[in-house]
Amino acid sequence: MTITVKFFASLREQLEKSEVKLDSVNALTVAQVWTQACDEVPLPSHVLMAVNMAYVDQHTVVQDGDEVAFFPPVTGG
Amino acid sequence: MFNPNTLSPAKTLTLPIDAATTLATARVLIIGVGGLGCAVAHDLALAGVGCLVLVDFDTVDLSNLQRQLLHDVSQIGQPKVLSAQRALQQLAPTVNILPIAQHLTEKELLEEVAAADVVLDCSDNFATRFMLNAACVQQRTPLISGASIEFGGQVASFALNTADAPCYHCLYPDEAEEAATTCTQNGVLAPLVGIIGSLQATEAVKVLLNIGTPLYARLLLFDALTARWRVVNLVKDPACPVCQHTGTNSPF
Ligand SMILES: [Zn+2]
């Protein structure tokens, strides 16, 4: 299956990539999608995750063709 | 000559009289009077909201001035809420500003949230955001949350006066303290706080007037560097320790 992975805002700047295509024969959770797309960098805390623009947690299993998006936490006022 | 000072709020927005009256009799709680809070208070005062309660224990610092539009050099060292009150009364003399220049205890916060028609979270840390969300869930007061750092901003509204609405804790379930990224240390693009604050103020007016479709159960994300907006749909977390007992199926 093929997953489109997108990184937004400061995550895009830090990782120096905005989009990755992942091919996998195994079922993946969102957390595993992060790890594979980010060369084993651990998933930071508070990162927001969405599959097809719906909010999910890191344990959600993704499907073929899904778009997985990661957004940095923002708390500044 | 066009003189904005001669225009009443009702004229500037061409609101029906009852809508202007609704705003004039509304009481809004604003937590944090930094970049976001200044923009929110500015916009709501000019929109004709009658009473703004401003809460911030901090004082004005020179480094604040490039993004906190109600403060100026003459107010350095003064409590932010008093500096903001002074500026707002020049802009909108009829608005009633209630400044609170201290941390609120949990009991005091609950009282202020209960007295407010809508609450705006303009704070700069998770601890305050979680405490405020819990108070809004408990008092069933709508919450409009905004945040910005560097080149990114987020806005979401929470219909905590209704059953089955997600809360801020459903969005950020991890109670761990965030890595220390603050506007003071990391910086924030100055106009970005105005964009996010004005969005929050727009949401507050919609919620107060019960018009349009607020950002309920939606998170709006703005990336200033790419000028792209994204909307993520939120759902209530059935295991959320803060709001799980507020749904239609739970005894309340
Ligand atoms: Zn919740």
Side-chain angles (χ1 to χ4, degrees), chain B residues 133 165-170 236-237 240 242-244:
Chain B
N133 176 63
C167 79
Y168 183 80
H169 201 280
C170 298
K236 187 183 182 84
D237 175 3
C240 176
V242 177
C243 72
Q244 64 175 332

Side-chain angles (χ1 to χ4, degrees), chain A residues 6 8-10 12-14 45-46 48-50 53-55 67 69 71-77, chain B residues 35-36 123-124 126 129 147-148 150 154 170-174 176 178 219 223 226 230-233:
Chain A
K6 292 187 173 176
F8 288 88
S10 60
R12 185 192 60 240
E13 304 298 310
Q14 287 158 20
S45 61
H46 302 295
L48 300 175
M49 293 156 267
M53 299 321 291
Y55 180 89
E67 179 207 82
F71 304 90
V74 180
T75 58
Chain B
L36 294 177
S123 69
D124 63 359
F126 272 128
R129 290 175 183 276
S148 62
E150 297 172 340
Q154 304 180 352
C170 298
L171 174 62
Y172 283 107
D174 187 352
E178 71 255 57
L219 172 69
D223 184 342
T226 56
R230 278 265 169 159
V231 175
V232 171
N233 293 310

Side-chain angles (χ1 to χ4, degrees), chain B residues 23 38 47 49 54 80 85 94 123 141 154-155 157 171 191 234:
Chain B
L23 291 181
C38 279
V49 170
L54 309 179
K80 287 185 177 179
Q85 178 183 38
T94 58
S123 69
T141 306
Q154 304 180 352
V155 186
S157 302
L171 174 62
L234 307 177

